[in-house]
Amino acid sequence: MARPSFFTIEEAARVLRIGRTAAYAAAKRYRETDGAEGLKVIQMGGSLRVPGAWLDEMAGRPVDVESAVPPVEGLERVWPDGERKPASSKRRRLSAVPASSSHDAEQSRLPFAD
């Protein structure tokens, strides 16, 4: 894979081993302080990009491009217990009320529900 000259904020976050939200907050701080602090970004059209040379400078060496590439759907991931599961970058959504519970029935039993 050819090394990109510019990384998306999410790719830069993976290289820096910080969260996506923290990376966007740092990019916002960079823009608000006119470059005094934060994650260095430049605007390209409607997108923000992090210069690869700046990531290299921060790391003190050329950054590992492989760590910035998101996982590929359809591949298997081997877990510590040896079990193989499909690799997925999608997160499960959790419901506040389990699907198997009867939320309405529980509500009607409350003393102040009458």
Side-chain angles (χ1 to χ4, degrees), residues 3 7 15 52-65 67:
R3 183 182 187 282
F7 291 82
V15 168
W54 186 77
L55 289 174
D56 292 343
E57 184 180 315
M58 279 189 64
R61 60 176 174 74
V63 297
D64 177 20
V65 175
S67 66

Side-chain angles (χ1 to χ4, degrees), residues 38-52:
L39 178 63
K40 184 175 186 173
V41 292
I42 60 170
Q43 187 156 355
M44 298 177 124
S47 301
L48 296 175
R49 295 292 183 255
V50 180

